[in-house]
Amino acid sequence: MNTETIKQSASENRSHMNILVTLDANYIPYLNIMLTSMLYSNPEVIFTVYFLHTSVKEEEFASTRAILSAPHQLIPVSAKDLELEDAPTTARYPQEIYYRIFAARYLPEDVDRILYLDPDIIVNGSLTELYETPMQDSFFAAASHIKKLMHKVNELRLDMDEDSPYINSGVMLMNLQKLRLEQDMQEVFRYIEKYKNKLILPDQDIISALYGSKIISLDPYRYNMTERLFALNPRNEGWLDLDWVREHAAIIHYCGRNKPWKSGYVGQLDVFFQETLKRMQSSDGMAEDGSFASSSD
């Protein structure tokens, strides 16, 4: 089923959303868990998921294709032609993190907006309101997790404008139409070269510093809930427990090193990950690691 057929089907019966993921094969089991939660929480939506990568083999997509069976669709997109030899990378932050910055370069021209999601996420609620956020001339919509003092540190470290938000790049709505028209790739490369020794979280450092005036701020408690936000919850918001999160937080993000699939997880939000994992394991052919026991297209 091609993209146009899916869009036609969506217009007749269900809404349609474009989703972007960028990762290597090691994260596919966790991507599958994220996608399972997304489909479960958004049964009214048909998803086209673009998988931007350089090294994943076709057979490694099998378990993800099984989850995204018709009318949903998985579309792998190669990013091999992008020159990133001089971009700073580490074992924790591989080259793939830069692909979301240049997503507009690789995705089809008729895709005008897309929602980027990290694989270490559980989608706990509807994505419709987020996806339909009016973008106007903005490039991105994303949430920030930092307070005023740390924002000042980032202003100095990255030469950011005072009014620019420092975002978490794990959840980003992208205005691909505007990015195609206005994004200057050489500006990004010049910034990397100038600040490469100061970049700590390279992709979100770059996006926040270069495009701050083009970013719409999202509510982190709703669209990028983390264990830290939950632990430091504001008493005047009227919520103190997991019931509030279950009702209000559409996206739960296990950012940082504290992952719910690792031993020694600290916190309470792993309950949402475990619920999704159990849902997957109860499906026929599903292995305990979240992958499928047999290939299926």
Side-chain angles (χ1 to χ4, degrees):
M1 182 179 292
N2 60 35
T3 303
E4 287 304 316
T5 302
I6 288 178
K7 288 181 178 178
Q8 181 179 356
S9 176
S11 65
E12 292 172 354
N13 302 297
R14 297 154 68 180
S15 60
H16 175 261
M17 292 185 193
N18 298 306
I19 302 296
L20 175 64
V21 296
T22 63
L23 55 135
D24 58 31
N26 293 325
Y27 257 78
I28 286 179
Y30 313 113
L31 168 67
N32 290 345
I33 295 171
M34 184 273 281
L35 293 174
T36 297
S37 70
M38 182 179 75
L39 297 180
Y40 181 80
S41 298
N42 293 265
E44 75 288 355
V45 177
I46 295 174
F47 290 99
T48 299
V49 177
Y50 293 89
F51 193 130
L52 190 56
H53 72 100
T54 56
S55 60
V56 183
K57 300 175 181 177
E58 177 55 36
E59 57 267 26
E60 293 173 315
F61 289 118
S63 60
T64 308
R65 288 194 186 280
I67 291 171
L68 292 169
S69 58
H72 310 291
Q73 188 177 30
L74 174 69
I75 302 179
V77 180
S78 174
K80 284 187 176 180
D81 65 328
L82 187 58
E83 299 291 336
L84 284 173
E85 289 85 353
D86 296 328
T89 60
T90 66
R92 189 180 178 196
Y93 301 105
Q95 196 173 92
E96 283 81 0
I97 64 175
Y98 293 98
Y99 301 160
R100 72 195 83 172
I101 300 175
F102 301 120
R105 174 187 173 100
Y106 294 103
L107 296 173
E109 290 288 333
D110 63 342
V111 179
D112 58 358
R113 71 168 55 200
I114 200 163
L115 177 61
Y116 171 83
L117 295 175
D118 269 351
D120 56 351
I121 275 172
I122 291 295
V123 179
N124 179 60
S126 173
L127 297 176
T128 298
E129 188 173 339
L130 168 59
Y131 193 80
E132 294 178 352
T133 299
M135 297 290 282
Q136 284 87 37
D137 292 332
S138 296
F139 289 171
F140 302 96
S144 177
H145 288 156
I146 66 170
K147 302 297 184 182
K148 186 176 294 186
L149 177 60
M150 185 54 66
H151 192 284
K152 190 64 179 179
V153 171
N154 285 329
E155 285 178 39
L156 299 173
R157 177 173 66 91
L158 301 171
D159 193 23
M160 286 176 56
D161 292 336
E162 182 179 355
D163 295 333
S164 296
Y166 183 85
I167 64 162
N168 178 278
S169 60
V171 179
M172 292 191 298
L173 184 63
M174 300 181 175
N175 186 346
L176 299 179
Q177 187 175 31
K178 293 298 292 185
L179 283 164
R180 289 189 188 100
L181 291 172
E182 299 181 18
Q183 186 179 44
D184 182 348
M185 291 187 67
Q186 292 306 313
E187 179 186 28
V188 175
F189 290 133
R190 288 193 297 270
Y191 185 86
I192 291 172
E193 179 61 30
K194 183 175 181 180
Y195 292 96
K196 63 184 178 182
N197 294 325
K198 297 182 179 181
L199 301 178
I200 299 173
L201 303 172
D203 59 321
Q204 63 190 42
D205 282 352
I206 294 164
I207 291 171
S208 300
L210 286 181
Y211 305 129
S213 63
K214 298 281 190 177
I215 297 174
I216 296 170
S217 294
L218 299 176
D219 180 357
Y221 294 96
R222 188 175 183 189
Y223 293 124
N224 207 320
M225 170 63 80
T226 68
E227 199 67 69
R228 186 172 183 273
L229 284 176
F230 181 70
L232 301 176
N233 62 75
R235 299 299 195 235
N236 62 349
E237 289 293 324
W239 61 273
L240 301 172
D241 56 22
L242 290 173
D243 289 338
W244 189 97
V245 176
R246 190 177 297 279
E247 183 178 353
H248 294 93
I251 296 175
I252 298 164
H253 188 191
Y254 305 101
C255 55
R257 298 182 183 276
N258 190 30
K259 306 297 187 189
W261 57 83
K262 294 182 178 180
S263 60
Y265 180 86
V266 178
Q268 300 182 57
L269 299 184
D270 60 329
V271 63
F272 299 98
F273 178 89
Q274 298 302 333
E275 287 173 359
T276 302
L277 185 58
K278 288 179 181 177
R279 189 174 296 120
M280 293 180 72
Q281 292 169 357
S282 67
S283 301
D284 292 340
M286 188 68 68
E288 290 188 358
D289 67 353
S291 62
F292 281 83
S294 60
S295 296
S296 174
D297 288 335

